[in-house]
Amino acid sequence: LALLDHPRLRIDAINPDAADLDATAGLLRAAGARLARRATLGRATAEASGLTPGTYDAVTSVSVYEHIK
């Protein structure tokens, strides 16, 4: 959690499910403006996101397991 206070932290969150993305937006608002203003949310799959490979220090997935068959 200390990482969330890092001044250069940026969050690019993507999700193809609009309802999940709305829930993520709510969580960011609940976390406070200091974190929420450093986040961008986009409705997309990873492949269609337009995010540039190799430009992130960390990548994580928090809700993928229910989609794996």
Side-chain angles (χ1 to χ4, degrees), residues 5-40:
D5 288 325
H6 192 284
R8 293 182 53 207
L9 175 73
R10 290 273 325 133
I11 298 170
D12 291 312
I14 57 169
N15 193 318
D17 185 312
D20 281 353
L21 206 54
D22 287 343
T24 301
L27 291 171
L28 283 169
R29 284 190 300 274
R34 190 176 77 217
L35 181 59
R37 72 173 169 255
R38 295 185 286 161
T40 57

